[in-house]
């Protein structure tokens, strides 16, 4: 690093790893991005927690594609489990428990399969991102129950899109260098969020949803 | 492009709905009322609003175990108290008859009735139990809170709606703000929506003209504009919603009771009971704008801050401000005014004497005819008295020539002519006078016949000769 702000050096001297400092400082940017996606673009995803945590999971895997593979596998198995458990008619928590267990097995199989196919990168994914992605299935199941499979899949795709955007933003070297040099710059996310919180215009997706109405208004 | 952004300000998006309307106008306490169906049902009933009858409620697994299943009627709806978007509702249409053989063979069969769903599938007590357990567990409630299950009366389908609705009951959603109905739509259940009327579930939303209660344009699900019920040739526009004024009035009254400033009111029409209030909604969806092809935001901003004292006044303001498009369109295209079968008219007689009165529009009559008393009020006293002095029946004078007949009558003041009127009670010669009729702003100088209509409800009927500039809407 060429240019390190004194406050960052202070954190590092106190024994906080530089990577942790950067991740914590990048969090406000990621959540602001998610808020922007919701309020202005109209991409909902599963709330703010899920896309944020998935972004960090993506940052923690050695290669992005393995993170995406795990994410997609989790959602696919979640969908299959809904069909499989439909006839059983059991209550919510036991149902999610069974779904989570089956997903855990499936991921284990996936990792082994990766190793067998000489894709050692997949097997070397650490447990933290895997666990995160397995637990997001609860969000997925809730939406499945409340709004159906289609809505849940759409939200899952939206989550994936936002998380990928967050991933690319957070691994953008220029941004990281900027944060290290001028950490106070993070504070602009607060006025940005105040603006987003008062933004009452149509979301971009609403322009599509209401296109027929817009054509009809004089 | 710029035009698009300008028009976008007329539409209500989710951001503006939450920030400018739900947040400031719907207080937490009243939102809780709206989310609790049993609570809002009680409050509405106390306020004199008809609601579906509550049959029973189950609050805990213990109550479920001790429930007397035989006490349920053959048809009912089972609902979660805090359900939303139509989720978790189970409706049965009849009880399955238990055959005598089984009765003798198995004691159990007597105490455990079996019901039938709309698709013909059976619902046993154990099915109901497992569904209720799910409800109690919060499977259908907002944020999975433990919930209460309740049984309520199933409404019966109005004949008018039968060809449009797929199993299930259509309802009417009215957005109310500041005691004024702002926009409305008819929600029809479809095959895709599984008999539920919610747009999110794939139902049809049909826009309704606020002033006349006639449907306009329609949307299927979240955004597809349709003209017909899918798979049929049932046109969705032009359906006249019965009890329209009452429905709007119920919606506004419900807003007063709920204490919310901005809400969606759902009203259904029962075949026997008429309009029945279903529920209040603190976060009404925005698809209603697509169904009506109109913007909510522009309407809401127009009425913000208006002081409306009574529900009836609010309904009137809403109908005047936001309705009338359908009729104007017909009038625009045809160049004719649309009138009803009973219409207010202004009659101008001699010396500018005027009378305002309700007239019956009668396409079976040629001439417009007015009651003799009415003619007197219009300054034709002499004409009436003189004419009545002449005792000549139709039979007496029908063989005379036109001139000979006129000689009998010509001394009568202000008489225009006499005409033969063939009616169910026989043919007569009637005197005619010249007056001016003003109907719906159209001025028609015309000849009208005189007859004693004292025994009839309307002292004037307007006949075909004077209806050329009008279209008649029998529903108006």
């Amino acid at each position: 690093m060429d240019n390190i702000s004194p406050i960052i050096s202070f954190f590092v001297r106190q024994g906080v790893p530089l990577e942790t400092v950067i991740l914590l400082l990048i969090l406000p940017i990621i959540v602001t991005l998610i808020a922007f996606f919701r309020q202005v673009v109209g991409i909902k995803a599963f709330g703010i927690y899920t896309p944020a945590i998935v972004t960090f999971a993506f940052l923690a895997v050695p290669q992005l594609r393995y993170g995406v593979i795990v994410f997609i596998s989790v959602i696919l198995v979640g969908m299959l489990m809904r069909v499989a458990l439909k006839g059983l008619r059991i209550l919510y928590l036991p149902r999610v428990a069974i779904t989570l267990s089956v997903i855990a097995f499936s991921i284990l199989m996936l990792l082994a399969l990766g190793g067998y196919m000489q894709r050692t990168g997949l097997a070397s994914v650490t447990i933290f991102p895997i666990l995160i992605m397995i637990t997001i299935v609860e969000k997925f199941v809730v939406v499945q129950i409340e709004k159906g499979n289609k809505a849940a899949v759409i939200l899952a795709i939206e989550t994936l899109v936002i998380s990928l955007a967050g991933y690319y933003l957070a691994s953008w070297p220029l941004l990281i260098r900027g944060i290290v040099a001028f950490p106070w710059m993070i504070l602009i996310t607060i006025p940005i969020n105040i603006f987003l919180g008062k933004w009452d215009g149509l979301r971009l997706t609403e322009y599509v949803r209401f296109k027929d109405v817009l054509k009809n208004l004089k | 492009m710029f035009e698009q952004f300008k028009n976008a300000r007329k539409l209500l998006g989710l951001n503006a709905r939450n920030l400018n309307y739900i947040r400031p106008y719907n207080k937490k306490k009243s939102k809780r009322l709206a989310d609790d169906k049993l609570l809002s049902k009680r409050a509405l009933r106390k306020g004199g609003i008809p609601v579906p009858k509550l049959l029973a409620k189950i609050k805990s697994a213990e109550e479920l175990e001790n429930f007397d299943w035989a006490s349920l009627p053959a048809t009912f709806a089972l609902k979660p108290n805090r359900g939303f978007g139509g989720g978790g509702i189970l409706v049965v249409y009849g009880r399955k008859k238990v055959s005598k053989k089984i009765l003798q063979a198995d004691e159990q069969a007597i105490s455990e009735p079996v019901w039938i769903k709309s698709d013909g599938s059976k619902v046993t007590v154990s099915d109901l139990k497992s569904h209720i357990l799910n409800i109690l567990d919060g499977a259908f409630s907002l944020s999975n809170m433990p919930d209460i299950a309740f049984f309520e009366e199933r409404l019966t389908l109005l004949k008018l709606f039968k060809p449009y609705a797929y199993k299930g009951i259509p309802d009417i959603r009215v957005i109310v703000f500041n005691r004024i109905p702002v926009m409305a739509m008819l929600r029809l259940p479809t095959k895709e929506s599984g008999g539920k009327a919610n747009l999110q579930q794939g139902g049809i939303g049909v826009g309704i003209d606020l002033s006349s209660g006639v449907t306009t344009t329609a949307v299927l699900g979240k955004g597809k504009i349709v003209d017909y019920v899918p798979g049929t040739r049932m046109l969705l526009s032009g359906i006249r919603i019965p009890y329209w004024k009452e429905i709007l009035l119920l919606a506004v009254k419900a807003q007063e009771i709920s204490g919310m400033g901005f809400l969606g009111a759902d009203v259904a029409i029962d075949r026997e009971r008429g309009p029945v209030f279903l529920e209040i909604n603190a976060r009404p969806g925005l698809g209603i704008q697509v169904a009506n092809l109109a913007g909510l935001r522009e309407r809401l901003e127009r009425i913000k801050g208006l002081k409306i004292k009574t529900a009836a006044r609010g309904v009137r303001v809403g109908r005047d401000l936001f309705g009338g498009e359908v009729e104007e369109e017909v009038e625009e295209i045809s160049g004719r005014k649309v009138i009803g079968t009973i219409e207010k008219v202004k009659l101008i007689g001699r010396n500018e004497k005027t009378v305002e009165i309700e007239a019956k529009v009668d396409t079976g009559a040629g001439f417009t005819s007015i009651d003799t008393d009415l003619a007197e009020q219009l300054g034709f006293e002499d004409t009436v008295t003189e004419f009545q002095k002449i005792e000549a029946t139709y039979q007496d004078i029908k063989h005379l020539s036109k001139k000979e007949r006129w000689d009998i009558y010509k001394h009568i003041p202000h008489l225009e002519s006499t005409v033969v009127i063939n009616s169910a009670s026989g043919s007569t010669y009637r005197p005619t006078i010249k007056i001016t009729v003003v109907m719906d702003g159209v001025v028609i100088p015309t000849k009208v016949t005189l007859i004693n209509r004292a025994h009839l409800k309307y002292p004037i009927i307007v006949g075909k000769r004077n209806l050329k500039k009008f279209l008649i809407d029998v529903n108006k």
Side-chain angles (χ1 to χ4, degrees):
Chain A
M1 292 286 168
D2 37 15
N3 195 350
I4 296 182
S5 151
I7 182 101
I8 301 273
S9 334
F10 168 76
F11 289 142
V12 174
R13 275 204 308 280
Q14 303 311 308
V16 187
L18 183 62
E19 200 177 335
T20 306
V21 176
I22 292 173
L23 281 181
L24 284 176
L25 287 178
I26 228 159
L27 178 93
I29 296 179
I30 290 173
V31 290
T32 304
L33 178 80
I34 296 168
F36 175 84
F37 269 110
R38 164 74 71 96
Q39 303 307 134
V40 179
V41 182
I43 298 184
K44 272 204 208 102
F46 299 122
I48 195 160
Y49 167 79
T50 310
I53 200 79
V54 172
T55 301
F56 284 113
F58 283 169
L59 287 169
V61 293
Q63 270 176 296
L64 177 63
R65 58 184 155 165
Y66 297 133
V68 176
I69 288 172
V70 172
F71 182 91
I72 292 173
S73 319
V74 165
I75 297 300
L76 279 180
V77 178
M79 276 168 70
L80 289 176
M81 287 311 287
R82 177 183 160 91
V83 181
L85 294 178
K86 214 170 188 176
L88 214 52
R89 285 209 214 174
I90 50 172
L91 291 176
Y92 174 71
L93 281 189
R95 174 153 59 166
V96 175
I98 294 177
T99 308
L100 284 175
S101 314
V102 174
I103 289 174
F105 284 129
S106 315
I107 297 296
L108 195 56
M109 300 297 280
L110 185 76
L111 295 183
L113 190 73
Y116 176 75
M117 289 169 74
Q118 309 301 318
R119 302 258 177 194
T120 43
L122 195 56
S124 70
V125 175
T126 50
I127 190 65
F128 157 75
I130 292 179
L131 281 181
I132 282 178
M133 295 215 243
I134 292 177
T135 47
I136 58 159
V137 91
E138 184 183 7
K139 289 272 183 191
F140 182 76
V141 173
V142 167
V143 179
Q144 257 185 342
I145 292 173
E146 285 174 1
K147 294 182 175 162
N149 232 334
K150 202 178 147 199
V153 171
I154 289 172
L155 285 182
I157 293 170
E158 289 180 353
T159 303
L160 184 60
V161 169
I162 294 184
S163 304
L164 284 174
Y167 170 85
Y168 284 113
L169 188 71
S171 46
W172 187 21
L174 192 67
L175 184 76
I176 295 173
R177 248 181 287 147
I179 287 174
V180 172
F182 312 103
W184 302 110
M185 145 184 122
I186 294 302
L187 291 177
I188 38 166
T189 55
I190 291 170
I192 290 176
N193 275 304
I194 291 175
F195 169 78
L196 289 176
K198 289 198 180 290
W199 166 250
D200 68 353
L202 288 191
R203 300 173 183 177
L204 286 181
T205 50
E206 285 174 334
Y207 278 94
V208 180
R209 180 182 178 193
F210 295 132
K211 62 180 188 302
D212 293 309
V213 190
L214 280 167
K215 259 185 262 161
N216 247 271
L217 289 173
K218 277 171 210 136
Chain B
M1 196 65 196
F2 179 70
E3 189 73 357
Q4 277 241 326
F5 279 110
K6 224 175 80 190
N7 280 337
R9 301 298 296 176
K10 297 177 182 171
L11 285 177
L12 190 69
L14 283 168
N15 290 340
R17 182 196 73 174
N18 297 343
L19 197 66
N20 304 344
Y21 295 97
I22 294 183
R23 193 74 72 73
Y25 294 102
N26 295 354
K27 297 283 169 268
K28 210 171 178 185
K29 201 180 133 203
S30 28
K31 260 195 285 196
R32 212 162 353 176
L33 179 80
D35 290 339
D36 189 328
K37 290 203 178 78
L38 287 169
L39 207 65
S40 55
K41 209 179 172 68
R42 199 182 314 143
L44 290 167
R45 208 187 49 223
K46 267 191 197 157
I49 288 178
V51 290
K53 262 186 239 104
L54 179 67
L55 301 171
K57 57 186 168 186
I58 297 178
K59 285 186 203 153
S60 63
E62 205 187 324
E63 279 185 34
L64 179 63
E65 278 314 307
N66 300 325
F67 191 73
D68 176 17
W69 299 99
S71 72
L72 288 174
T75 164
F76 59 81
L78 170 60
K79 295 182 174 180
N81 188 34
R82 289 170 185 280
F84 57 95
I89 297 175
L90 191 144
V91 183
V92 299
Y93 288 75
R95 196 163 10 209
K96 198 169 159 62
K97 287 201 181 77
V98 183
S99 73
K100 274 188 184 148
K101 241 186 223 162
I102 300 171
L103 272 179
Q104 285 158 355
D106 185 3
E107 267 318 294
Q108 196 66 14
I110 310 169
S111 57
E112 294 219 330
V114 174
W115 290 271
I116 297 167
K117 281 206 285 195
S118 61
D119 58 2
S121 63
K122 277 187 266 176
V123 178
T124 61
V125 168
S126 84
D127 290 335
L128 287 179
K129 271 187 187 168
S130 109
H131 190 77
I132 291 171
L133 272 178
N134 270 319
I135 292 176
L136 294 177
D137 214 42
F140 307 104
S141 71
L142 284 165
S143 60
N144 293 312
M145 284 207 303
D147 203 1
I148 301 172
F150 67 95
F151 295 95
E152 79 179 8
E153 151 196 40
R154 179 179 72 88
L155 298 176
T156 49
L157 183 61
L158 199 68
K159 270 214 177 79
L160 169 72
F161 290 148
K162 212 166 202 170
Y164 301 99
Y166 179 86
K167 288 168 178 169
I169 303 280
D171 65 17
I172 293 138
R173 157 66 59 89
V174 185
I175 303 276
V176 187
F177 175 57
N178 191 17
R179 279 193 171 151
I180 297 170
V182 183
M183 205 177 268
M185 70 170 163
L186 172 69
R187 303 193 300 176
L188 300 169
T190 61
K191 207 168 186 172
E192 291 73 43
S193 75
K196 281 164 195 151
N198 304 63
L199 290 194
Q200 290 167 9
Q201 310 245 18
I204 300 175
V206 196
I208 306 177
D209 172 61
L210 267 192
S211 94
S212 61
V214 175
T215 57
T216 54
T217 45
V219 60
L220 173 65
K222 284 199 96 173
K224 195 175 162 229
I225 305 282
V226 289
D227 289 328
Y228 299 94
V229 178
T232 71
R233 294 307 280 172
M234 293 303 299
L235 193 62
L236 287 163
S237 61
I239 309 171
R240 182 166 291 267
I241 311 289
Y243 309 102
W244 183 237
K245 207 174 149 191
E246 287 94 319
I247 289 169
L248 292 180
L249 210 56
L250 281 182
V252 176
K253 279 186 183 157
Q255 191 213 344
E256 290 175 344
I257 293 169
S258 75
M260 283 189 288
F262 173 74
L263 58 70
D266 294 345
V267 185
I269 304 174
D270 183 71
R271 199 188 299 168
E272 266 107 48
R273 292 178 63 191
V276 177
F277 200 90
L278 290 185
E279 62 179 47
I280 42 186
N281 204 312
R283 302 166 202 85
L286 301 172
I288 193 168
Q289 299 177 104
V290 188
N292 280 283
L293 289 180
L296 256 179
R297 184 173 192 163
E298 158 188 53
R299 293 187 180 190
L300 292 168
E301 272 165 13
R302 274 176 78 183
I303 56 170
K304 201 181 255 180
L306 280 187
K307 295 239 177 340
I308 302 289
K309 290 223 173 79
T310 65
R313 169 107 184 102
V315 169
R316 211 153 55 229
V317 171
R319 294 177 81 178
D320 284 350
L321 277 181
F322 307 126
E325 279 118 338
V326 177
E327 214 161 86
E328 269 162 29
E329 235 170 68
V330 172
E331 292 184 358
E332 240 172 64
I333 295 163
S334 64
R336 292 174 207 174
K337 292 270 183 161
V338 177
I339 55 170
T341 47
I342 305 302
E343 198 71 34
K344 205 163 203 154
V345 293
K346 190 160 101 178
L347 306 175
I348 307 169
R350 291 187 57 231
N351 307 324
E352 301 301 314
K353 282 188 179 164
T354 61
V355 177
E356 276 199 42
I357 200 161
E358 277 195 332
K360 189 176 167 191
V361 172
D362 188 351
T363 54
F367 281 94
T368 293
S369 67
I370 67 171
D371 184 39
T372 43
D373 279 353
L374 194 57
E376 284 172 13
Q377 287 172 46
L378 289 166
F380 292 94
E381 303 94 330
D382 299 344
T383 322
V384 173
T385 30
E386 286 299 318
F387 190 85
Q388 277 164 351
K389 277 184 193 157
I390 300 164
E391 285 190 26
T393 64
Y394 176 71
Q395 293 301 327
D396 293 335
I397 57 172
K398 70 173 180 187
H399 57 277
L400 300 176
S401 74
K402 213 173 176 182
K403 190 170 174 306
E404 285 170 320
R405 270 203 314 266
W406 183 237
D407 286 339
I408 304 176
Y409 292 109
K410 68 180 177 192
H411 68 281
I412 300 174
H414 320 301
L415 188 71
E416 192 62 25
S417 66
T418 61
V419 291
V420 186
I421 300 290
N422 303 306
S423 75
S425 51
S427 303
T428 47
Y429 277 99
R430 291 191 194 172
T432 71
I433 53 172
K434 210 160 189 171
I435 62 165
T436 302
V437 180
V438 183
M439 186 156 65
D440 204 356
V442 181
V443 181
I444 319 158
T446 183
K447 229 157 65 168
V448 299
T449 68
L450 300 183
I451 187 78
N452 182 3
R453 294 182 59 85
H455 57 294
L456 296 165
K457 194 171 170 196
Y458 296 99
I460 167 169
I461 58 169
V462 181
K464 271 188 286 200
R465 279 171 175 246
N466 302 128
L467 291 172
K468 286 174 186 147
K469 288 179 180 164
F470 301 95
L471 291 173
I472 296 149
D473 181 351
V474 291
N475 294 307
K476 201 172 165 176

